């Protein structure tokens, strides 16, 4: 089955069995191994990528269903020497130990801040109609789809807070 | 996964035609179906991808309600300003379900068609009348922590996992379906999901080829909109019990009450007698307890889920207390 995917700004055409998940297409057909396979059932979040601006579990969608989609993986967020703010913050705050969940955490957190910016409420938002806030409670709830078995959660929250606050300051200055 | 043919539907008529063929499943978000296919619990010969159909958008209806396209993502629906303002119970229920990533994929239509999370349904080495009719129910007498306390049968004690559907049941929503002959029909939420009876493999009122096109909400109900979900961890877990409530209190008494319960039955559970008993009564603890007594009179535990009976009682009382507190200050 021929599928055209735009990944990190580059067009890739693959010819894969219809059963191929987006995750397996990224890793095995395109060679982008930054995206990790953890549970392969949507429970751990290690495979999180950004599809058409939204964070999704790449293990729970078929590559052929994403024909024509714009996909960003951790490799597309930044590179050595040119890290994205979230990648730099995970380093600065020591937001990992083994690092296996980190690409998924970083993709998820990057898109999650956009959701807050868009005003999306969460389960812990006291007021559904008020602007979304950046707090430890909000970040924890919104990141609950990304597990870290090394339990680096406090530092992950610190990293996301650092980026979120920097963006807020930058916006206020504009 | 077992190999399958992948077909991308270009029109709802084409989808319905394809959908009538045997061993065929529609796929939209895919978050539940692909999981089940990987485990070979569901093994369709053909997948019909309906995500390119024009079934998105949330629109206001002539009667003052909302029409939610079947392909509207759970995250978009939860964040829709009209849903947040006028149907807060629905927004709350959606936000209580799954994770941010899953809500970005899962659709309104697909959420209604989620399969049970019964561990015996998920284990293909176990007997399950839902997965393989006639083989028996290994859950009965087994580990029953997440099983039903209402409406179970000797053939199946599974529960429906959706939070969204519980809110839709409280809101008296209706499911719009396009049938293979091109006609559209409306199925009230009350009739959409089935009790297991002796056919637990039949879970909804849909016929082969029927395609969900939208969910219709009636005009908004005023009052407190509350969705309270109790689960084993604070986020990203299925409900042990949940209560969706829209409650209006006037002069200290219940004026309008809509209550639906999740995690307790094969479908979102609603009991008209409980609501009728509350209307006109003072919103006080005696009234809350009487409502819980009435609701739970028919509840039957399965051993491992006996705790759900007092848990649902406390959750209902807590929700009614919150509603009363919010409206009587």
């Amino acid at each position: 089955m021929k599928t055209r995917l735009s990944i990190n700004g580059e067009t890739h055409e693959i010819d894969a069995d219809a059963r191929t998940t987006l995750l397996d297409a990224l890793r095995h057909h395109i060679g982008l191994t930054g995206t990790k396979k953890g549970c392969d059932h949507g429970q751990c979040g290690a495979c999180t990528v950004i599809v058409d601006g939204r964070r999704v579990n790449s293990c729970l969608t078929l590559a052929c269903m994403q024909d024509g989609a714009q996909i960003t993986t951790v490799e597309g967020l930044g590179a050595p020497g040119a890290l994205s703010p979230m990648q730099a913050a995970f380093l600065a705050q020591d937001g990992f130990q083994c690092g296996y969940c980190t690409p998924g955490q970083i993709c998820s957190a990057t898109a999650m801040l956009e959701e807050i910016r868009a005003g999306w409420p969460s389960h812990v938002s006291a007021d559904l109609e008020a602007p979304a806030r950046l707090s430890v409670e909000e970040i924890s709830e919104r990141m609950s789809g990304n597990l870290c078995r090394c339990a680096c959660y406090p530092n992950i929250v610190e990293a996301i807070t650092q980026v979120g606050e920097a963006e807020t300051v930058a916006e206020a200055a504009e | 996964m077992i190999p399958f043919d992948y077909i991308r539907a270009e029109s709802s008529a084409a989808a319905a035609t394809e959908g009538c063929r045997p061993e065929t499943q529609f796929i939209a978000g895919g978050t539940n179906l692909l999981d089940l296919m990987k485990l070979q619990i569901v093994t369709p010969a053909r997948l019909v991808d309906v995500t390119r159909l024009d079934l998105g958008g949330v629109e206001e209806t002539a009667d003052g309600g909302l029409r939610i396209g079947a392909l509207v993502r759970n995250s978009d629906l939860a964040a829709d300003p009209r849903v947040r303002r006028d149907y807060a119970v629905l927004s709350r229920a959606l936000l209580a379900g799954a994770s941010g990533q899953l809500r970005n994929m899962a659709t309104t239509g697909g959420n209604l068609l989620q399969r049970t999370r019964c561990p015996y349904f998920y284990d293909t080495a176990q007997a399950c009348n839902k997965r393989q009719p006639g083989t028996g129910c290994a859950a009965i007498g087994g580990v029953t922590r997440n099983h039903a306390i209402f409406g179970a049968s000797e053939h199946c004690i599974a529960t429906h996992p959706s939070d969204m559907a519980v809110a839709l049941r409280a809101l008296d929503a209706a499911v719009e379906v396009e049938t293979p002959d091109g006609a559209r029909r409306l199925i009230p939420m009350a009739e959409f999901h089935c009790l297991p009876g002796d056919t637990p493999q039949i879970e909804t009122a849909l016929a082969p080829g029927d395609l969900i096109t939208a969910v219709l909400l009636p005009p908004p109900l005023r009052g407190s909109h509350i969705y309270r979900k109790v689960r084993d961890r604070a986020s990203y877990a299925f409900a042990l019990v949940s209560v969706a409530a829209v409650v209006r209190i006037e002069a200290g008494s219940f004026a309008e009450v809509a209550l639906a319960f999740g995690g307790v039955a094969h479908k979102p559970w609603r009991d008209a007698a409980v609501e009728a008993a509350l209307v006109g009564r003072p919103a006080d603890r005696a009234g809350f307890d009487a409502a819980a007594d009435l609701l739970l009179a028919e509840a039957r535990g399965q051993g491992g889920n006996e705790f759900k009976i007092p848990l649902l009682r406390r959750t209902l009382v807590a929700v009614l207390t919150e509603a009363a507190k919010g409206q009587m200050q």
Side-chain angles (χ1 to χ4, degrees), chain A residues 26-45:
Chain A
L26 290 170
R27 289 182 58 84
H28 299 155
H29 292 262
I30 297 160
L32 290 171
T33 53
T35 306
K36 301 300 184 221
K37 182 182 281 193
C39 69
D40 208 25
H41 288 278
Q43 296 171 6
C44 75

Side-chain angles (χ1 to χ4, degrees), chain B residues 114-196:
Chain B
Q114 281 182 85
R115 310 298 302 276
T116 183
R117 297 287 166 157
C118 172
Y120 300 93
F121 174 72
Y122 261 78
D123 183 349
T124 52
Q126 301 280 350
C128 174
N129 286 322
K130 185 183 283 300
R131 181 167 27 77
Q132 216 173 343
T135 56
C137 172
I140 296 172
V143 176
T144 55
R145 183 167 175 76
N146 75 358
H147 291 80
I149 55 170
F150 294 119
S153 75
E154 59 183 308
H155 305 283
C156 180
I157 60 171
T159 53
H160 196 269
S162 171
D163 293 297
M164 181 194 83
V166 181
L168 291 180
R169 181 73 185 91
L171 290 168
D172 278 319
V175 183
E176 184 192 87
V177 170
E178 184 168 327
T179 59
D181 59 8
R184 295 223 168 169
R185 69 185 169 114
L186 282 181
I187 307 172
M189 270 302 287
E191 295 160 25
F192 186 80
H193 294 104
C194 309
L195 286 177

Side-chain angles (χ1 to χ4, degrees), chain A residues 44-97:
Chain A
C44 75
C47 69
T48 303
V49 299
I50 303 170
V51 176
D52 293 333
R54 293 162 171 256
R55 53 180 173 153
V56 303
N57 303 103
S58 62
C59 74
L60 284 186
T61 187
L62 297 172
C64 57
M65 294 180 71
Q66 300 302 335
D67 188 57
Q70 304 282 328
I71 295 153
T72 304
T73 69
V74 71
E75 293 94 338
L77 291 177
L83 298 178
S84 78
M86 192 64 75
Q87 289 170 322
F90 267 68
L91 280 175
Q93 300 294 340
D94 204 11
F96 48 84
Q97 191 178 137

Side-chain angles (χ1 to χ4, degrees), chain B residues 55-59 67-73 107-109 212-215:
Chain B
L55 297 174
V58 180
E59 294 159 17
R67 183 179 189 279
I68 303 160
L71 289 176
V72 173
R73 307 282 163 172
T107 64
T108 306
I212 299 174
T213 48
V215 168

